[in-house]
Amino acid sequence: MSISSFDAPLYQPKNPEESATFRFLARINSTLGLSLKSYHDLYIWSTTHIDDFWGAVWDFTNIIGDKGSHVVERSALPPHNPPWFSDARLNWAENMLHCRSADKLAFIQATEPTPEDPTPELRKCTYLQLYNLVADLVSSLLQNGLKPGDRVASYSSNCIENVAACLATAAVGGIWVSAAADFGSEGVIERFEQVQPKFIFAVDEVIYNAKVHRHIPKLFALLAGLQQKSIAPSKVIIIHATPRVEDRGDWSPEWVSWDAFISEGRESKLGRTPSGEIEWNRGSFDAPLWILFSSGTTGRPKPIVHRAGGMLLQAKKEFIICGDLRPDDVFFYYTTTGWMMWNFLVSGLSLGATLVLYDGSPLRDPSYLWKLVDDLGITIFGTSAKYLDQLSKGYRPRENHDLTTLRHIYSTGSPLAPPLFDYVYEHIHENVLLGSITGGTDICSLFAGMCSALPVYRGEIQCRMLGMAIESFAPTGTPSQPDEAGELVCIKPFPCMPLGFWPLPGFAADPDVEAAKVRYQQAYFSEFEGVWYHGDHIAITRSRDGNGGGVVMLGRSDGVLNPGGIRFGSAELYDVLDLCFSGSGAEHTIADCIAVGQKCDNGMDERVVLFVKLPEGRDLSADFEKKIKAEIRNRRSPRHVPSRIIQVTDIPYTLNGKRVEVLVKKIINGAPLTSVNPATLSNPECLAFYADVGAVLRLELEK
Ligand SMILES: CC(=O)CC(=O)O
């Protein structure tokens, strides 16, 4: 089986030479006297001349700040996390708010309809209004004692106020920490206790699945949990962002309303020039900007600290040079505030584009988001592979909506299966750039993804992103051949490598800082020597059209299956099942599945166990099981055929919608349920069944 597609591309850019990528290439050629011709030439140059490349990105994307004279040591190699732009000064939020237009919308906020409010009003905010809001918040945060390096946390929905609070925090050098309102309070305690926020912004209620959910009880539980650990934020600010009348009946008297907090800032005017401008705290390139958390399904979530300059430069590169996003784009990403795609979306402010924030279920009414595309003129539509998978089972947007404004569709979260590429081009839009993108929380950006100068091939991510020296490594720690599966590594430093795990030096006692450093090294640099190990199983495809190869995601590395010494990613099975058994209503339909390895032969070998969830009321018959095995055998190999196929009622997912293969693997191999961190899962209750089945399966092997 070949990994790369032999088919014609599903999408071809019309005039690639007019794309931003090629304009950037031309600039490099003219300023440095080079003669780079193709994307591949540019990519190779960008990863071998990291100093010239990232310096040119700064200039090309018009970063606001003082660049200084240093970029990075070209010969630096991981695990060394070298200083970047060591004499630069910048402020991330200043770069987000360079547009000050009173006409241009920074945000349109949409909420899920409810039976009581079937056509909820859109909230809108221009760039000028946003600037003024952030200015008031800056003053209020300073008035209330915020200092650079203090953490400001949010337990919020995806609303305008939440973004404004993030911008204001960054404007004065604070560090932003975000948890989504749909996280259980236990999980949020686990995150916030590690970073000890001075301020907490929280919403009073959210709307999901057409119902209003009061958020205040979860906030009380969070604060009580923090108090037990002797952590007391000095201020809790309550946001009301739903289109309903505000109710303060269940508030604590110590809390302050958003409006009161803003008024305080408006009066104090701290941190503003006499004409009312924000006095940006321009810090170093490496100044911490925000802390994101790993999903932490079996341990405490890791607090990953990202630097302001790295986040800014990387986002500008991704949007402007790779994606060709523009100020007139209307940019939507379906995300909560607890997923890095929120940070990705918010960075779109740096373009002066209009961002669409949506809070609510994306699928209860599958037409709703597509209606928004037409109503708001959305040009960039971002989502997850899981959403597209669910949507494909029963809805064809193209039959009901014009969607003429769409230019790009992005998908991430898990590998985008090849049939979903067909679905997008057949049933959503025949001529969009479908950007399957990948990176993750650890880098809060992309390793591989979209490029407006390149074609889209079925099942493949278009390219390795400029400046990101990723390779697929064989277990021996050497590069795999094109089309050969291996481990995603990055062999050169990049500016959005995290600064470390919290606490950084200067923020805690030495032993805690040292422990965080060790945890950081172990997370990324212990698998192979001298390279960043990302934990994804991938293949880099062979080069076509002189563009260099694309990337195929094969699953998480710790979920790699290895029966009889044949290693393959779980995506190889999911792709077959998606292709053959995803039609809703068909006799043989699989609603969802998860494949994991179970140790056998006294731990010397592994067998594949496939769990399948079927539509309500259906049972896994012997005939259906036979069909699944036959399709896998025919489309993959006899070695791919699962030893056991077991029906389950639910497949476990993290709060950010990722299947938790590693956890299921551990459980069926005997790990106790107590080793699971339930706060990180959206449906932890289903794990008990896997534990029971695991016990039976182990007994079966002992016989
Ligand atoms: C860009 C990504 O990789 C996002 C994610 O899967 O968490």
Side-chain angles (χ1 to χ4, degrees):
M1 184 199 66
S2 166
I3 283 188
S4 58
S5 164
F6 284 90
D7 301 335
L10 296 170
Y11 167 85
Q12 262 307 350
K14 273 215 183 67
N15 298 308
E17 56 295 337
E18 285 171 19
S19 66
T21 306
F22 274 83
R23 288 200 304 278
F24 179 69
L25 179 147
R27 172 87 69 91
I28 296 299
N29 281 342
S30 71
T31 50
L32 297 175
L34 300 175
S35 48
L36 308 173
K37 292 200 173 49
S38 63
Y39 179 82
H40 193 54
D41 289 349
L42 181 63
Y43 172 75
I44 296 294
W45 174 81
S46 74
T47 53
T48 47
H49 297 73
I50 54 175
D51 47 353
D52 290 343
F53 170 70
W54 289 104
V57 172
W58 179 299
D59 298 333
F60 191 81
T61 64
N62 299 317
I63 300 282
I64 300 168
D66 302 320
K67 184 179 174 194
S69 54
H70 167 262
V71 176
V72 68
E73 181 58 53
R74 185 184 292 181
S75 57
L77 288 174
H80 181 43
N81 196 345
W84 290 84
F85 295 90
S86 56
D87 48 358
R89 309 297 291 177
L90 60 85
N91 184 284
W92 176 85
E94 181 181 10
N95 279 272
M96 298 300 130
L97 288 175
H98 66 87
C99 173
R100 298 278 290 276
S101 165
D103 304 316
K104 184 73 201 285
L105 287 178
F107 298 116
I108 306 174
Q109 183 188 324
T111 314
E112 185 186 341
T114 58
E116 298 76 45
D117 187 3
T119 51
E121 218 175 295
L122 297 169
R123 299 176 76 207
K124 295 186 176 168
C125 174
T126 67
Y127 269 95
L128 184 60
Q129 286 168 329
L130 178 63
Y131 185 93
N132 291 334
L133 185 60
V134 173
D136 289 341
L137 273 167
V138 161
S139 301
S140 200
L141 286 169
L142 291 174
Q143 173 79 14
N144 283 282
L146 184 79
K147 301 271 179 303
D150 284 345
R151 275 76 61 211
V152 176
S154 112
Y155 190 16
S156 176
S157 63
N158 191 10
C159 59
I160 294 170
E161 289 83 350
N162 191 60
V163 186
C166 170
L167 291 165
T169 301
V172 295
I175 305 174
W176 182 250
V177 185
S178 173
D182 66 342
F183 286 12
S185 53
E186 283 300 316
V188 185
I189 294 166
E190 230 168 33
R191 288 165 162 80
F192 289 3
E193 71 166 302
Q194 295 189 65
V195 300
Q196 313 201 335
K198 194 162 187 173
F199 294 81
I200 294 184
F201 287 87
V203 284
D204 57 353
E205 62 185 19
V206 294
I207 293 177
Y208 197 86
N209 253 342
K211 288 199 192 78
V212 178
H213 303 266
R214 216 50 203 156
H215 190 60
I216 298 291
K218 283 165 83 173
L219 177 60
F220 270 118
L222 165 66
L223 294 171
L226 291 177
Q227 199 177 26
Q228 273 178 12
K229 296 169 195 289
S230 308
I231 300 167
S234 62
K235 222 34 173 226
V236 175
I237 303 111
I238 309 295
I239 299 168
H240 177 71
T242 60
R244 290 166 23 99
V245 178
E246 188 175 0
D247 171 9
R248 299 187 184 178
D250 52 357
W251 287 26
S252 158
E254 286 153 26
W255 300 342
V256 48
S257 73
W258 174 264
D259 291 344
F261 197 67
I262 295 294
S263 302
E264 205 180 331
R266 196 165 298 148
E267 265 164 40
S268 94
K269 294 209 171 353
L270 268 181
R272 320 263 277 272
T273 65
S275 60
E277 304 284 308
I278 299 169
E279 285 173 347
W280 304 104
N281 180 338
R282 283 192 180 179
S284 71
F285 187 91
D286 284 352
L289 172 66
W290 49 45
I291 300 172
L292 269 56
F293 290 88
S294 66
S295 56
T297 46
T298 49
R300 285 201 320 164
K302 300 183 192 87
I304 306 166
V305 190
H306 290 288
R307 60 187 113 192
M311 289 295 98
L312 176 63
L313 202 61
Q314 175 78 332
K316 295 270 257 184
K317 178 206 77 180
E318 288 170 352
F319 292 150
I320 298 177
I321 301 175
C322 305
D324 220 338
L325 267 57
R326 310 191 276 252
D328 60 357
D329 272 315
V330 180
F331 181 13
F332 164 79
Y333 217 105
Y334 179 73
T335 177
T336 68
T337 61
W339 191 22
M340 62 143 283
M341 299 319 293
W342 179 84
N343 307 68
F344 181 82
L345 172 66
V346 166
S347 302
L349 290 171
S350 67
L351 300 162
T354 298
L355 307 189
V356 178
L357 308 178
Y358 172 75
D359 210 62
S361 162
L363 279 163
R364 196 190 56 83
D365 170 4
S367 73
Y368 193 66
L369 295 183
W370 303 101
K371 183 169 156 3
L372 285 181
V373 172
D374 282 347
D375 290 353
L376 309 181
I378 289 173
T379 57
I380 312 291
F381 183 100
T383 186
S384 62
K386 187 168 173 232
Y387 167 85
L388 289 173
D389 182 46
Q390 300 284 316
L391 191 74
S392 71
K393 295 191 166 134
Y395 194 71
R396 296 177 168 179
R398 205 171 159 184
E399 288 175 4
N400 304 293
H401 309 274
D402 287 340
L403 310 180
T404 44
T405 53
L406 272 184
R407 295 201 299 124
H408 297 185
I409 295 179
Y410 299 152
S411 165
T412 189
S414 52
L416 187 68
L420 291 175
F421 280 71
D422 304 331
Y423 168 74
V424 167
Y425 284 103
E426 274 167 39
H427 300 301
I428 300 182
H429 200 299
E430 66 187 350
N431 192 27
V432 282
L433 184 158
L434 173 56
S436 171
I437 58 181
T438 190
T441 306
D442 312 270
I443 63 167
C444 194
S445 61
L446 311 179
F447 273 132
M450 71 287 194
C451 176
S452 63
L454 294 177
V456 175
Y457 288 96
R458 185 172 188 270
E460 286 182 37
I461 296 178
Q462 285 179 287
C463 60
R464 295 181 271 181
M465 301 299 270
L466 295 175
M468 308 301 275
I470 64 164
E471 296 287 351
S472 155
F473 261 23
T476 47
T478 49
S480 316
Q481 293 302 311
D483 278 353
E484 215 175 73
E487 301 303 320
L488 194 165
V489 298
C490 189
I491 64 173
K492 290 285 176 67
F494 46 96
C496 54
M497 248 163 99
L499 286 169
F501 291 162
W502 191 262
L504 296 180
F507 286 94
D510 287 352
D512 293 342
V513 170
E514 279 315 307
K517 278 189 189 163
V518 170
R519 213 176 165 202
Y520 177 75
Q521 290 295 319
Q522 272 170 352
Y524 306 116
F525 300 108
S526 59
E527 191 72 22
F528 296 115
E529 215 184 307
V531 298
W532 169 282
Y533 169 78
H534 199 59
D536 278 328
H537 197 56
I538 64 161
I540 296 176
T541 59
R542 76 208 144 82
S543 178
R544 278 155 300 194
D545 318 327
N547 285 324
V551 176
V552 175
M553 304 302 292
L554 300 168
R556 287 293 293 167
S557 308
D558 35 18
V560 162
L561 302 159
N562 194 7
I566 308 290
R567 288 166 61 82
F568 56 92
S570 50
E572 293 194 31
L573 297 184
Y574 302 152
D575 286 357
V576 173
L577 303 182
D578 266 351
L579 183 73
C580 305
F581 305 109
S582 66
S584 72
E587 190 196 342
H588 291 121
T589 301
I590 296 178
D592 204 354
C593 60
I594 190 165
V596 297
Q598 187 193 23
K599 285 191 200 119
C600 56
D601 287 346
N602 295 323
M604 302 302 287
D605 200 354
E606 177 173 294
R607 65 175 186 168
V608 176
V609 182
L610 173 69
F611 295 96
V612 292
K613 176 178 169 182
L614 305 187
E616 235 8 57
R618 302 270 182 91
D619 286 324
L620 180 66
S621 62
D623 174 47
F624 191 1
E625 201 175 322
K626 239 160 96 192
K627 281 200 160 58
I628 295 173
K629 289 186 171 171
E631 291 292 0
I632 293 175
R633 183 176 300 108
N634 295 340
R635 291 174 190 273
R636 293 294 185 237
S637 82
R639 289 308 188 92
H640 286 71
V641 176
S643 301
R644 300 285 271 111
I645 303 181
I646 295 168
Q647 184 173 2
V648 286
T649 48
D650 212 359
I651 304 290
Y653 278 92
T654 65
L655 290 167
N656 283 334
K658 290 174 194 269
R659 276 187 188 105
V660 285
E661 285 160 350
V662 186
L663 201 58
V664 170
K665 180 174 173 176
K666 283 188 177 159
I667 289 172
I668 69 156
N669 281 300
L673 277 179
T674 45
S675 63
V676 176
N677 183 350
T680 58
L681 301 176
S682 61
N683 50 352
E685 59 292 339
C686 72
L687 289 175
F689 180 80
Y690 290 85
D692 293 347
V693 170
V696 174
L697 289 174
R698 289 195 301 282
L699 270 181
E700 187 179 284
L701 286 171
E702 278 167 22
K703 279 189 191 147

